[in-house]
Amino acid sequence: MIQNRHETNISCTTCPVAKLCLCDDLSKDELQCLDNSIHHNFTFDKGEHLFYLNDKLESVFAVYSGSCKEYVTDADGKEYIHNFYFPGDLIGLECFNFKSYPYSAISLEQTHLCVIPIKQLISVIKNTEHLPFRLLTIFSKKIRNDTSIRLTTNAKQRVADFILHMHMRFSERGCSEEIPLTMPQLDMSNRIGVAFETVSRILHAFQRDNIISMEGKNIQIRDLARLRDISGIE
Amino acid sequence: MIQNRHETNISCTTCPVAKLCLCDDLSKDELQCLDNSIHHNFTFDKGEHLFYLNDKLESVFAVYSGSCKEYVTDADGKEYIHNFYFPGDLIGLECFNFKSYPYSAISLEQTHLCVIPIKQLISVIKNTEHLPFRLLTIFSKKIRNDTSIRLTTNAKQRVADFILHMHMRFSERGCSEEIPLTMPQLDMSNRIGVAFETVSRILHAFQRDNIISMEGKNIQIRDLARLRDISGIE
DNA sequence: CGGGGTTTTGAAACACATCAATCATCGTGG
DNA sequence: CCACGATGATTGATGTGTTTCAAAACCCCG
């Protein structure tokens, strides 16, 4: 499925997002063992699929740079987006005991990925003390990522929730100043379940009220307190 | 926090929902090791809390019988329900690396729970080959449970999604005929993000159209195909 | 300098929430 | 055992937030 592409000497030991990925909490030996099981640095162009719905499941992906989305489409062609993935995130981990992928995944820009064959991942899990716990942490976080937009909220709250959630994720990546929206607003609207025209209107209202500012596709939060207030949680 | 209550000779080896719980996939020895770490059969009355938001995290819970919900409330007192839990489900597993519970959990009826202290769970994970993989499976399933109601759907689709999801969960428990709604419709409406009056109307419309039938709090699906059609997935 | 994919903006329609009142249900105590 | 209050469910009328439709403006990218 995945053609072998330009593979450089990237490794987990030098990876800048290792702390977000499988590697964190691992001993030096364990890290080496994991590193040996990973094929580093596959390049995907914008709009290229990592895999399609019902493709045979063979690998888990780790984002090295760039971004991706997971989605399914219904009979009408309407798109449901599970989540977006950024550097350090793992794609497909929760399918490890499936025969095939239950959704499609596509690159939102030029994206570099590391590929971990499931069989080898299972072997590493068996042979390392800390990886099982690391995986529990990753899954716990994924549950919070996947449920970050609440169902009981209105459109403004959802946009606020989305921005706050993105802010949190990019802060983890050492980028707390600006949130780069790598996806079109249509993707954002499909993720949060609001018409894209409504998203556009709300983003403009937030700018008018000096809650955020936008240049191009970058969002900067100017009033975090107001945003949290609109979101309504805590 | 948890008082020791009437504890009988229930064990994982004889538990009727073991296949849904931590036990599945474990060897006989591993099961024994797990069993020794679990305090079985704590009784919670309807409306009794398992734990409150910000309580110190000490244990994970397994539902033996009955049902529970996890929720948080916002500043206005509005309730957000993460999920419902039925026999074989685990509560609090995704908090294992937290200091305190990030939400509250309450019993919806008389409920029997098994309590697994986190420290001992970690020790069992370290000492068993299969439990780490069992946990990955449980987490994968939980992600699907937590995201079973899509954000981009209308009220009818959400009610349909909810019924289909409950149907799936109760089918796993050998109860595919009738879905016992142990929660009031208000809880269901808070879970799916639809006003409870709207839920009431939709449930009646579904009955009028012979898609479901209801006696008391039990839902019976009469036209699964129509329900799937309304849901719109696949 | 196009031209397809986005984003913006306005007007109209509608699905759903909200408000309000009635009805059913159930556990509790007199 | 029935009356009572509390809780949950139903049903209708009204208001509004959001979607939908439509058209224009923008903006990269080739």
Side-chain angles (χ1 to χ4, degrees), chain A residues 73-134:
Chain A
T73 46
D74 70 8
D76 302 332
K78 191 173 169 184
E79 194 169 293
Y80 300 94
I81 295 177
H82 292 145
N83 217 335
F84 300 106
Y85 294 88
F86 302 103
D89 286 334
L90 289 145
I91 303 175
L93 203 56
E94 77 283 10
C95 319
F96 91 104
N97 56 343
F98 286 9
K99 293 268 181 287
S100 56
Y101 295 99
Y103 43 71
S104 301
I106 191 171
S107 172
L108 293 167
E109 56 190 316
Q110 193 182 78
T111 297
H112 293 263
L113 298 168
C114 301
V115 180
I116 311 146
I118 283 285
K119 278 185 187 163
Q120 302 198 39
L121 179 62
I122 288 173
S123 152
V124 181
I125 294 172
K126 275 183 185 158
N127 295 313
T128 54
E129 190 188 344
H130 295 105
L131 191 53
F133 293 100
R134 180 62 196 151

Side-chain angles (χ1 to χ4, degrees), chain B residues 154-155 195 197-198 201:
Chain B
N154 62 31
E197 297 96 328
T198 306
R201 279 181 248 262

Side-chain angles (χ1 to χ4, degrees), chain B residues 139-157:
Chain B
F139 268 95
S140 302
K141 215 162 162 183
K142 179 165 173 56
I143 287 172
R144 289 193 290 288
N145 284 347
D146 288 358
T147 58
S148 58
I149 314 293
R150 289 158 292 157
L151 287 150
T152 27
T153 47
N154 62 31
K156 264 189 188 170
Q157 285 179 292

